[in-house]
Amino acid sequence: MGEPADDAILVRRVDAGDTDALRLMYERYGAIVFGMTYRLLGDRQAAEECTQDVFVSVWRTARNYDPDRAQVSTWLFTIARHRAIDATRRRAARPVDPHEEIWSADESPDTADLVSAADDAARVAAAMAELSEAQREALSLAYFDGLSHSEIAERLRLPVGTVKGRIRLGLDRLRVLAPTYALEAETET
Amino acid sequence: MSDEHRDRLAGEALGALDASESAELAAEVERDPKLAAELDDYRATVAMLESTVAREQPSHDLFAGILAEIEPQPAGRAAAKAEPRWRWRRALPAFAVGAAAAAAVFAVALAIDSSSSSGAPDAVAEVAGTPEFAGVRGEARLYGSTQPGGVVRLELADVPDAPDGSHYEVWVLRPSAGEAMEAVGVFDAGGAEVELELGLPGAGDYAAVDISVEPDAGPPEHSGTSLAGGTFQRPTT
């Protein structure tokens, strides 16, 4: 498990109007949400707008979060899954604009494929969230920032061996978690 | 197989090994089928990640946009929320506007009395470079920001010179003034240490700072390309 207790406290603080708590949630999960929506939407601007929508939704619906139904990360990535699907459907359904590229018949996203891809993305994102804070931090710097072991060690002021071990253990954990990780019941209401 | 081997195999799959270490490992993998199989497993895990979560970072100012959307808006501002995420606004000092119009290369805006940034700051932002400028780092501090005449002080390290035909521009986000970024100054010279002290456009609850790369004589809007940025944190009391 990651830090579900800490996450649940953050959500309670967000519900109380604490923007610092939302910032901490964003720092913890923002890159994963963005990476997930970027992969689903295929467009940086659309992914940023979607990520923004996700965290605004977290802010506005934090009181609906039920820790008995799902972990915070599961709840968060379920919101992201919904937002990405909505954004893709809106983009596919909007009126034809001769000045913009539009979906051709062959490229139009099939609903089943879209939902399946979104489920896969949410599952893997949730598995990443399950890593320990230390593993996720080191792995994220390698994965999202493209840093080398030595650069990460310098950034985190840790021995290189420690960084290597955290990254390896994080990947080991993902290898086990991601294929079997099941999204829990949707809790966004 | 040792943990040390597996550490390096995982790093290789992620692209996190230095070139020399990667070459050394490649030779070992070629000789040892077990290492090759383990490397394939790690690569499959990374491929699974890449197929579902892109190896991309959002813009540094994205959280500032989120804050701008959730912070209470002044009356009559509701309609603006339906507009695009950013409405960039330039609020440059007159000298800088003139310089921009002339497509000149700008001098560092250090026209503020250094005494204005003494004492404890109102808020501090850790400034980090965007992926394209990952080496840039530093800090931004606000002084007197809740009243007219406040300043933002930037101390940056490892700033490359602005690319030919462009310059850097410093922007701040003040949610109470709307969802736009306001430009506060320009500079073009990089260096191992760059210090700037720039006047703020007014009193406010500044949420973020951003340094953009702007084409000389370009339009007044933010170019969309950032050198670095950060969000302000206020000291807890």
PDB file of all heavy atoms in Angstrom, chain B residues 129-167:
ATOM      1  N   GLY B 129      13.030  24.100 -13.489  1.00  0.00           N
ATOM      2  CA  GLY B 129      12.976  24.197 -14.934  1.00  0.00           C
ATOM      3  C   GLY B 129      11.983  23.226 -15.538  1.00  0.00           C
ATOM      4  O   GLY B 129      11.697  22.173 -14.964  1.00  0.00           O
ATOM      5  N   THR B 130      11.452  23.587 -16.685  1.00  0.00           N
ATOM      6  CA  THR B 130      10.589  22.672 -17.427  1.00  0.00           C
ATOM      7  C   THR B 130      11.478  21.559 -17.992  1.00  0.00           C
ATOM      8  O   THR B 130      12.706  21.684 -17.983  1.00  0.00           O
ATOM      9  CB  THR B 130       9.897  23.416 -18.581  1.00  0.00           C
ATOM     10  OG1 THR B 130      10.903  24.014 -19.396  1.00  0.00           O
ATOM     11  CG2 THR B 130       8.968  24.483 -18.051  1.00  0.00           C
ATOM     12  N   PRO B 131      10.887  20.457 -18.462  1.00  0.00           N
ATOM     13  CA  PRO B 131      11.722  19.360 -18.968  1.00  0.00           C
ATOM     14  C   PRO B 131      12.768  19.809 -19.982  1.00  0.00           C
ATOM     15  O   PRO B 131      13.891  19.299 -19.996  1.00  0.00           O
ATOM     16  CB  PRO B 131      10.695  18.415 -19.581  1.00  0.00           C
ATOM     17  CG  PRO B 131       9.460  18.643 -18.779  1.00  0.00           C
ATOM     18  CD  PRO B 131       9.461  20.113 -18.448  1.00  0.00           C
ATOM     19  N   GLU B 132      12.423  20.787 -20.809  1.00  0.00           N
ATOM     20  CA  GLU B 132      13.365  21.274 -21.816  1.00  0.00           C
ATOM     21  C   GLU B 132      14.539  22.013 -21.182  1.00  0.00           C
ATOM     22  O   GLU B 132      15.612  22.100 -21.745  1.00  0.00           O
ATOM     23  CB  GLU B 132      12.616  22.195 -22.789  1.00  0.00           C
ATOM     24  CG  GLU B 132      13.386  22.532 -24.034  1.00  0.00           C
ATOM     25  CD  GLU B 132      12.587  23.432 -24.969  1.00  0.00           C
ATOM     26  OE1 GLU B 132      11.377  23.624 -24.718  1.00  0.00           O
ATOM     27  OE2 GLU B 132      13.169  23.952 -25.914  1.00  0.00           O
ATOM     28  N   PHE B 133      14.297  22.573 -19.992  1.00  0.00           N
ATOM     29  CA  PHE B 133      15.328  23.344 -19.292  1.00  0.00           C
ATOM     30  C   PHE B 133      15.484  22.773 -17.877  1.00  0.00           C
ATOM     31  O   PHE B 133      15.418  23.505 -16.888  1.00  0.00           O
ATOM     32  CB  PHE B 133      14.940  24.826 -19.231  1.00  0.00           C
ATOM     33  CG  PHE B 133      14.735  25.471 -20.573  1.00  0.00           C
ATOM     34  CD1 PHE B 133      13.456  25.614 -21.097  1.00  0.00           C
ATOM     35  CD2 PHE B 133      15.811  25.903 -21.333  1.00  0.00           C
ATOM     36  CE1 PHE B 133      13.253  26.196 -22.338  1.00  0.00           C
ATOM     37  CE2 PHE B 133      15.625  26.480 -22.578  1.00  0.00           C
ATOM     38  CZ  PHE B 133      14.339  26.632 -23.091  1.00  0.00           C
ATOM     39  N   ALA B 134      15.653  21.466 -17.805  1.00  0.00           N
ATOM     40  CA  ALA B 134      15.589  20.775 -16.515  1.00  0.00           C
ATOM     41  C   ALA B 134      16.679  21.212 -15.544  1.00  0.00           C
ATOM     42  O   ALA B 134      16.539  21.053 -14.334  1.00  0.00           O
ATOM     43  CB  ALA B 134      15.662  19.267 -16.737  1.00  0.00           C
ATOM     44  N   GLY B 135      17.766  21.777 -16.046  1.00  0.00           N
ATOM     45  CA  GLY B 135      18.854  22.159 -15.153  1.00  0.00           C
ATOM     46  C   GLY B 135      18.587  23.425 -14.372  1.00  0.00           C
ATOM     47  O   GLY B 135      19.273  23.719 -13.386  1.00  0.00           O
ATOM     48  N   VAL B 136      17.605  24.200 -14.809  1.00  0.00           N
ATOM     49  CA  VAL B 136      17.330  25.475 -14.136  1.00  0.00           C
ATOM     50  C   VAL B 136      16.649  25.216 -12.801  1.00  0.00           C
ATOM     51  O   VAL B 136      15.751  24.384 -12.696  1.00  0.00           O
ATOM     52  CB  VAL B 136      16.420  26.363 -15.025  1.00  0.00           C
ATOM     53  CG1 VAL B 136      16.126  27.679 -14.324  1.00  0.00           C
ATOM     54  CG2 VAL B 136      17.080  26.601 -16.369  1.00  0.00           C
ATOM     55  N   ARG B 137      17.086  25.917 -11.789  1.00  0.00           N
ATOM     56  CA  ARG B 137      16.454  25.775 -10.483  1.00  0.00           C
ATOM     57  C   ARG B 137      16.646  27.083  -9.727  1.00  0.00           C
ATOM     58  O   ARG B 137      17.460  27.917 -10.109  1.00  0.00           O
ATOM     59  CB  ARG B 137      17.063  24.601  -9.708  1.00  0.00           C
ATOM     60  CG  ARG B 137      18.530  24.782  -9.402  1.00  0.00           C
ATOM     61  CD  ARG B 137      19.173  23.480  -8.941  1.00  0.00           C
ATOM     62  NE  ARG B 137      20.536  23.707  -8.486  1.00  0.00           N
ATOM     63  CZ  ARG B 137      21.583  23.889  -9.294  1.00  0.00           C
ATOM     64  NH1 ARG B 137      21.405  23.897 -10.605  1.00  0.00           N
ATOM     65  NH2 ARG B 137      22.783  24.102  -8.811  1.00  0.00           N
ATOM     66  N   GLY B 138      15.916  27.236  -8.665  1.00  0.00           N
ATOM     67  CA  GLY B 138      16.080  28.452  -7.880  1.00  0.00           C
ATOM     68  C   GLY B 138      14.895  28.711  -6.988  1.00  0.00           C
ATOM     69  O   GLY B 138      14.161  27.778  -6.607  1.00  0.00           O
ATOM     70  N   GLU B 139      14.718  29.958  -6.676  1.00  0.00           N
ATOM     71  CA  GLU B 139      13.707  30.327  -5.699  1.00  0.00           C
ATOM     72  C   GLU B 139      13.165  31.706  -6.050  1.00  0.00           C
ATOM     73  O   GLU B 139      13.899  32.562  -6.545  1.00  0.00           O
ATOM     74  CB  GLU B 139      14.354  30.353  -4.304  1.00  0.00           C
ATOM     75  CG  GLU B 139      13.383  30.236  -3.162  1.00  0.00           C
ATOM     76  CD  GLU B 139      14.114  30.025  -1.834  1.00  0.00           C
ATOM     77  OE1 GLU B 139      14.703  30.998  -1.330  1.00  0.00           O
ATOM     78  OE2 GLU B 139      14.079  28.900  -1.319  1.00  0.00           O
ATOM     79  N   ALA B 140      11.895  31.906  -5.779  1.00  0.00           N
ATOM     80  CA  ALA B 140      11.274  33.227  -5.921  1.00  0.00           C
ATOM     81  C   ALA B 140      10.673  33.594  -4.576  1.00  0.00           C
ATOM     82  O   ALA B 140      10.037  32.751  -3.930  1.00  0.00           O
ATOM     83  CB  ALA B 140      10.190  33.199  -6.994  1.00  0.00           C
ATOM     84  N   ARG B 141      10.903  34.831  -4.148  1.00  0.00           N
ATOM     85  CA  ARG B 141      10.369  35.267  -2.858  1.00  0.00           C
ATOM     86  C   ARG B 141       9.570  36.551  -3.048  1.00  0.00           C
ATOM     87  O   ARG B 141       9.983  37.439  -3.802  1.00  0.00           O
ATOM     88  CB  ARG B 141      11.512  35.497  -1.860  1.00  0.00           C
ATOM     89  CG  ARG B 141      12.244  34.214  -1.484  1.00  0.00           C
ATOM     90  CD  ARG B 141      13.191  34.421  -0.304  1.00  0.00           C
ATOM     91  NE  ARG B 141      14.317  35.260  -0.654  1.00  0.00           N
ATOM     92  CZ  ARG B 141      15.465  34.811  -1.181  1.00  0.00           C
ATOM     93  NH1 ARG B 141      15.609  33.526  -1.410  1.00  0.00           N
ATOM     94  NH2 ARG B 141      16.436  35.628  -1.475  1.00  0.00           N
ATOM     95  N   LEU B 142       8.450  36.620  -2.372  1.00  0.00           N
ATOM     96  CA  LEU B 142       7.612  37.816  -2.419  1.00  0.00           C
ATOM     97  C   LEU B 142       7.870  38.672  -1.190  1.00  0.00           C
ATOM     98  O   LEU B 142       7.941  38.151  -0.070  1.00  0.00           O
ATOM     99  CB  LEU B 142       6.133  37.424  -2.447  1.00  0.00           C
ATOM    100  CG  LEU B 142       5.620  36.657  -3.667  1.00  0.00           C
ATOM    101  CD1 LEU B 142       4.183  36.205  -3.428  1.00  0.00           C
ATOM    102  CD2 LEU B 142       5.708  37.526  -4.917  1.00  0.00           C
ATOM    103  N   TYR B 143       7.987  39.967  -1.416  1.00  0.00           N
ATOM    104  CA  TYR B 143       8.147  40.911  -0.299  1.00  0.00           C
ATOM    105  C   TYR B 143       7.118  42.027  -0.471  1.00  0.00           C
ATOM    106  O   TYR B 143       6.958  42.571  -1.573  1.00  0.00           O
ATOM    107  CB  TYR B 143       9.546  41.517  -0.303  1.00  0.00           C
ATOM    108  CG  TYR B 143      10.644  40.523  -0.019  1.00  0.00           C
ATOM    109  CD1 TYR B 143      11.262  39.849  -1.068  1.00  0.00           C
ATOM    110  CD2 TYR B 143      11.058  40.262   1.279  1.00  0.00           C
ATOM    111  CE1 TYR B 143      12.272  38.922  -0.818  1.00  0.00           C
ATOM    112  CE2 TYR B 143      12.072  39.329   1.533  1.00  0.00           C
ATOM    113  CZ  TYR B 143      12.670  38.676   0.476  1.00  0.00           C
ATOM    114  OH  TYR B 143      13.673  37.765   0.720  1.00  0.00           O
ATOM    115  N   GLY B 144       6.429  42.346   0.593  1.00  0.00           N
ATOM    116  CA  GLY B 144       5.458  43.449   0.556  1.00  0.00           C
ATOM    117  C   GLY B 144       4.370  43.242  -0.468  1.00  0.00           C
ATOM    118  O   GLY B 144       3.840  44.211  -1.018  1.00  0.00           O
ATOM    119  N   SER B 145       4.015  41.998  -0.721  1.00  0.00           N
ATOM    120  CA  SER B 145       3.087  41.726  -1.817  1.00  0.00           C
ATOM    121  C   SER B 145       1.643  42.044  -1.480  1.00  0.00           C
ATOM    122  O   SER B 145       0.796  42.055  -2.366  1.00  0.00           O
ATOM    123  CB  SER B 145       3.203  40.252  -2.228  1.00  0.00           C
ATOM    124  OG  SER B 145       2.911  39.393  -1.127  1.00  0.00           O
ATOM    125  N   THR B 146       1.362  42.286  -0.215  1.00  0.00           N
ATOM    126  CA  THR B 146      -0.029  42.572   0.152  1.00  0.00           C
ATOM    127  C   THR B 146      -0.330  44.062   0.095  1.00  0.00           C
ATOM    128  O   THR B 146      -1.419  44.496   0.474  1.00  0.00           O
ATOM    129  CB  THR B 146      -0.330  42.045   1.565  1.00  0.00           C
ATOM    130  OG1 THR B 146       0.598  42.641   2.486  1.00  0.00           O
ATOM    131  CG2 THR B 146      -0.187  40.531   1.625  1.00  0.00           C
ATOM    132  N   GLN B 147       0.635  44.828  -0.342  1.00  0.00           N
ATOM    133  CA  GLN B 147       0.408  46.263  -0.470  1.00  0.00           C
ATOM    134  C   GLN B 147       1.104  46.768  -1.735  1.00  0.00           C
ATOM    135  O   GLN B 147       2.000  46.097  -2.255  1.00  0.00           O
ATOM    136  CB  GLN B 147       0.943  46.998   0.761  1.00  0.00           C
ATOM    137  CG  GLN B 147       2.386  46.664   1.075  1.00  0.00           C
ATOM    138  CD  GLN B 147       2.772  47.029   2.492  1.00  0.00           C
ATOM    139  OE1 GLN B 147       2.056  47.721   3.178  1.00  0.00           O
ATOM    140  NE2 GLN B 147       3.910  46.534   2.932  1.00  0.00           N
ATOM    141  N   PRO B 148       0.698  47.924  -2.233  1.00  0.00           N
ATOM    142  CA  PRO B 148       1.357  48.451  -3.429  1.00  0.00           C
ATOM    143  C   PRO B 148       2.862  48.618  -3.188  1.00  0.00           C
ATOM    144  O   PRO B 148       3.295  48.929  -2.082  1.00  0.00           O
ATOM    145  CB  PRO B 148       0.668  49.803  -3.634  1.00  0.00           C
ATOM    146  CG  PRO B 148      -0.657  49.665  -2.954  1.00  0.00           C
ATOM    147  CD  PRO B 148      -0.408  48.782  -1.768  1.00  0.00           C
ATOM    148  N   GLY B 149       3.629  48.410  -4.229  1.00  0.00           N
ATOM    149  CA  GLY B 149       5.073  48.594  -4.111  1.00  0.00           C
ATOM    150  C   GLY B 149       5.829  47.332  -3.765  1.00  0.00           C
ATOM    151  O   GLY B 149       7.038  47.379  -3.541  1.00  0.00           O
ATOM    152  N   GLY B 150       5.151  46.200  -3.724  1.00  0.00           N
ATOM    153  CA  GLY B 150       5.820  44.947  -3.406  1.00  0.00           C
ATOM    154  C   GLY B 150       6.724  44.487  -4.546  1.00  0.00           C
ATOM    155  O   GLY B 150       6.656  44.997  -5.671  1.00  0.00           O
ATOM    156  N   VAL B 151       7.588  43.533  -4.228  1.00  0.00           N
ATOM    157  CA  VAL B 151       8.518  43.024  -5.237  1.00  0.00           C
ATOM    158  C   VAL B 151       8.559  41.501  -5.187  1.00  0.00           C
ATOM    159  O   VAL B 151       8.207  40.884  -4.184  1.00  0.00           O
ATOM    160  CB  VAL B 151       9.955  43.565  -5.031  1.00  0.00           C
ATOM    161  CG1 VAL B 151       9.986  45.079  -5.124  1.00  0.00           C
ATOM    162  CG2 VAL B 151      10.542  43.076  -3.715  1.00  0.00           C
ATOM    163  N   VAL B 152       8.991  40.933  -6.296  1.00  0.00           N
ATOM    164  CA  VAL B 152       9.330  39.513  -6.334  1.00  0.00           C
ATOM    165  C   VAL B 152      10.821  39.425  -6.603  1.00  0.00           C
ATOM    166  O   VAL B 152      11.344  40.097  -7.501  1.00  0.00           O
ATOM    167  CB  VAL B 152       8.519  38.744  -7.401  1.00  0.00           C
ATOM    168  CG1 VAL B 152       8.703  39.317  -8.795  1.00  0.00           C
ATOM    169  CG2 VAL B 152       8.905  37.250  -7.394  1.00  0.00           C
ATOM    170  N   ARG B 153      11.510  38.644  -5.798  1.00  0.00           N
ATOM    171  CA  ARG B 153      12.954  38.480  -5.966  1.00  0.00           C
ATOM    172  C   ARG B 153      13.227  37.054  -6.434  1.00  0.00           C
ATOM    173  O   ARG B 153      12.793  36.085  -5.803  1.00  0.00           O
ATOM    174  CB  ARG B 153      13.680  38.755  -4.658  1.00  0.00           C
ATOM    175  CG  ARG B 153      15.190  38.636  -4.785  1.00  0.00           C
ATOM    176  CD  ARG B 153      15.930  39.111  -3.549  1.00  0.00           C
ATOM    177  NE  ARG B 153      17.363  39.020  -3.746  1.00  0.00           N
ATOM    178  CZ  ARG B 153      18.114  39.891  -4.413  1.00  0.00           C
ATOM    179  NH1 ARG B 153      17.538  40.962  -4.941  1.00  0.00           N
ATOM    180  NH2 ARG B 153      19.400  39.721  -4.560  1.00  0.00           N
ATOM    181  N   LEU B 154      13.917  36.951  -7.553  1.00  0.00           N
ATOM    182  CA  LEU B 154      14.245  35.645  -8.141  1.00  0.00           C
ATOM    183  C   LEU B 154      15.736  35.388  -8.025  1.00  0.00           C
ATOM    184  O   LEU B 154      16.546  36.264  -8.351  1.00  0.00           O
ATOM    185  CB  LEU B 154      13.864  35.628  -9.625  1.00  0.00           C
ATOM    186  CG  LEU B 154      12.388  35.465  -9.940  1.00  0.00           C
ATOM    187  CD1 LEU B 154      12.058  36.111 -11.266  1.00  0.00           C
ATOM    188  CD2 LEU B 154      12.030  33.990  -9.993  1.00  0.00           C
ATOM    189  N   GLU B 155      16.073  34.218  -7.558  1.00  0.00           N
ATOM    190  CA  GLU B 155      17.466  33.773  -7.563  1.00  0.00           C
ATOM    191  C   GLU B 155      17.495  32.441  -8.298  1.00  0.00           C
ATOM    192  O   GLU B 155      16.986  31.426  -7.817  1.00  0.00           O
ATOM    193  CB  GLU B 155      17.983  33.621  -6.132  1.00  0.00           C
ATOM    194  CG  GLU B 155      18.064  34.950  -5.396  1.00  0.00           C
ATOM    195  CD  GLU B 155      18.579  34.800  -3.975  1.00  0.00           C
ATOM    196  OE1 GLU B 155      18.881  33.649  -3.579  1.00  0.00           O
ATOM    197  OE2 GLU B 155      18.665  35.810  -3.265  1.00  0.00           O
ATOM    198  N   LEU B 156      18.072  32.471  -9.500  1.00  0.00           N
ATOM    199  CA  LEU B 156      18.061  31.283 -10.360  1.00  0.00           C
ATOM    200  C   LEU B 156      19.481  30.798 -10.595  1.00  0.00           C
ATOM    201  O   LEU B 156      20.429  31.592 -10.619  1.00  0.00           O
ATOM    202  CB  LEU B 156      17.414  31.617 -11.712  1.00  0.00           C
ATOM    203  CG  LEU B 156      16.006  32.210 -11.654  1.00  0.00           C
ATOM    204  CD1 LEU B 156      15.558  32.634 -13.047  1.00  0.00           C
ATOM    205  CD2 LEU B 156      15.031  31.198 -11.064  1.00  0.00           C
ATOM    206  N   ALA B 157      19.609  29.510 -10.785  1.00  0.00           N
ATOM    207  CA  ALA B 157      20.914  28.918 -11.065  1.00  0.00           C
ATOM    208  C   ALA B 157      20.872  28.181 -12.394  1.00  0.00           C
ATOM    209  O   ALA B 157      19.843  27.617 -12.775  1.00  0.00           O
ATOM    210  CB  ALA B 157      21.300  27.951  -9.948  1.00  0.00           C
ATOM    211  N   ASP B 158      22.009  28.203 -13.072  1.00  0.00           N
ATOM    212  CA  ASP B 158      22.199  27.450 -14.318  1.00  0.00           C
ATOM    213  C   ASP B 158      21.170  27.808 -15.381  1.00  0.00           C
ATOM    214  O   ASP B 158      20.535  26.949 -15.992  1.00  0.00           O
ATOM    215  CB  ASP B 158      22.150  25.934 -14.032  1.00  0.00           C
ATOM    216  CG  ASP B 158      23.273  25.506 -13.096  1.00  0.00           C
ATOM    217  OD1 ASP B 158      24.321  26.180 -13.096  1.00  0.00           O
ATOM    218  OD2 ASP B 158      23.098  24.524 -12.359  1.00  0.00           O
ATOM    219  N   VAL B 159      21.011  29.112 -15.587  1.00  0.00           N
ATOM    220  CA  VAL B 159      20.093  29.593 -16.626  1.00  0.00           C
ATOM    221  C   VAL B 159      20.872  29.753 -17.929  1.00  0.00           C
ATOM    222  O   VAL B 159      21.864  30.487 -17.971  1.00  0.00           O
ATOM    223  CB  VAL B 159      19.487  30.952 -16.226  1.00  0.00           C
ATOM    224  CG1 VAL B 159      18.563  31.457 -17.324  1.00  0.00           C
ATOM    225  CG2 VAL B 159      18.742  30.836 -14.906  1.00  0.00           C
ATOM    226  N   PRO B 160      20.453  29.060 -18.991  1.00  0.00           N
ATOM    227  CA  PRO B 160      21.146  29.265 -20.265  1.00  0.00           C
ATOM    228  C   PRO B 160      20.795  30.640 -20.832  1.00  0.00           C
ATOM    229  O   PRO B 160      19.741  31.200 -20.500  1.00  0.00           O
ATOM    230  CB  PRO B 160      20.581  28.149 -21.149  1.00  0.00           C
ATOM    231  CG  PRO B 160      19.234  27.864 -20.572  1.00  0.00           C
ATOM    232  CD  PRO B 160      19.336  28.113 -19.090  1.00  0.00           C
ATOM    233  N   ASP B 161      21.682  31.176 -21.657  1.00  0.00           N
ATOM    234  CA  ASP B 161      21.321  32.417 -22.343  1.00  0.00           C
ATOM    235  C   ASP B 161      20.059  32.169 -23.165  1.00  0.00           C
ATOM    236  O   ASP B 161      19.848  31.060 -23.674  1.00  0.00           O
ATOM    237  CB  ASP B 161      22.450  32.870 -23.270  1.00  0.00           C
ATOM    238  CG  ASP B 161      23.619  33.442 -22.478  1.00  0.00           C
ATOM    239  OD1 ASP B 161      23.409  33.861 -21.316  1.00  0.00           O
ATOM    240  OD2 ASP B 161      24.743  33.467 -23.016  1.00  0.00           O
ATOM    241  N   ALA B 162      19.231  33.196 -23.288  1.00  0.00           N
ATOM    242  CA  ALA B 162      18.019  33.040 -24.092  1.00  0.00           C
ATOM    243  C   ALA B 162      18.415  32.677 -25.526  1.00  0.00           C
ATOM    244  O   ALA B 162      19.408  33.192 -26.047  1.00  0.00           O
ATOM    245  CB  ALA B 162      17.211  34.329 -24.071  1.00  0.00           C
ATOM    246  N   PRO B 163      17.660  31.773 -26.156  1.00  0.00           N
ATOM    247  CA  PRO B 163      17.979  31.423 -27.544  1.00  0.00           C
ATOM    248  C   PRO B 163      18.000  32.667 -28.442  1.00  0.00           C
ATOM    249  O   PRO B 163      17.333  33.664 -28.155  1.00  0.00           O
ATOM    250  CB  PRO B 163      16.829  30.481 -27.937  1.00  0.00           C
ATOM    251  CG  PRO B 163      16.303  29.952 -26.632  1.00  0.00           C
ATOM    252  CD  PRO B 163      16.495  31.048 -25.634  1.00  0.00           C
ATOM    253  N   ASP B 164      18.769  32.591 -29.514  1.00  0.00           N
ATOM    254  CA  ASP B 164      18.849  33.722 -30.440  1.00  0.00           C
ATOM    255  C   ASP B 164      17.447  34.156 -30.850  1.00  0.00           C
ATOM    256  O   ASP B 164      16.591  33.325 -31.153  1.00  0.00           O
ATOM    257  CB  ASP B 164      19.639  33.322 -31.699  1.00  0.00           C
ATOM    258  CG  ASP B 164      21.124  33.206 -31.397  1.00  0.00           C
ATOM    259  OD1 ASP B 164      21.551  33.702 -30.334  1.00  0.00           O
ATOM    260  OD2 ASP B 164      21.841  32.616 -32.219  1.00  0.00           O
ATOM    261  N   GLY B 165      17.238  35.484 -30.866  1.00  0.00           N
ATOM    262  CA  GLY B 165      15.952  36.014 -31.293  1.00  0.00           C
ATOM    263  C   GLY B 165      14.865  35.899 -30.257  1.00  0.00           C
ATOM    264  O   GLY B 165      13.681  36.037 -30.565  1.00  0.00           O
ATOM    265  N   SER B 166      15.257  35.630 -29.022  1.00  0.00           N
ATOM    266  CA  SER B 166      14.231  35.517 -27.977  1.00  0.00           C
ATOM    267  C   SER B 166      14.768  36.074 -26.669  1.00  0.00           C
ATOM    268  O   SER B 166      15.961  36.388 -26.542  1.00  0.00           O
ATOM    269  CB  SER B 166      13.807  34.057 -27.800  1.00  0.00           C
ATOM    270  OG  SER B 166      14.887  33.278 -27.338  1.00  0.00           O
ATOM    271  N   HIS B 167      13.907  36.207 -25.717  1.00  0.00           N
ATOM    272  CA  HIS B 167      14.285  36.682 -24.389  1.00  0.00           C
ATOM    273  C   HIS B 167      13.391  35.992 -23.367  1.00  0.00           C
ATOM    274  O   HIS B 167      12.436  35.294 -23.732  1.00  0.00           O
ATOM    275  CB  HIS B 167      14.123  38.202 -24.290  1.00  0.00           C
ATOM    276  CG  HIS B 167      12.716  38.666 -24.552  1.00  0.00           C
ATOM    277  ND1 HIS B 167      12.211  38.870 -25.825  1.00  0.00           N
ATOM    278  CD2 HIS B 167      11.683  38.938 -23.707  1.00  0.00           C
ATOM    279  CE1 HIS B 167      10.951  39.270 -25.746  1.00  0.00           C
ATOM    280  NE2 HIS B 167      10.598  39.314 -24.477  1.00  0.00           N
TER     281      HIS B 167
END
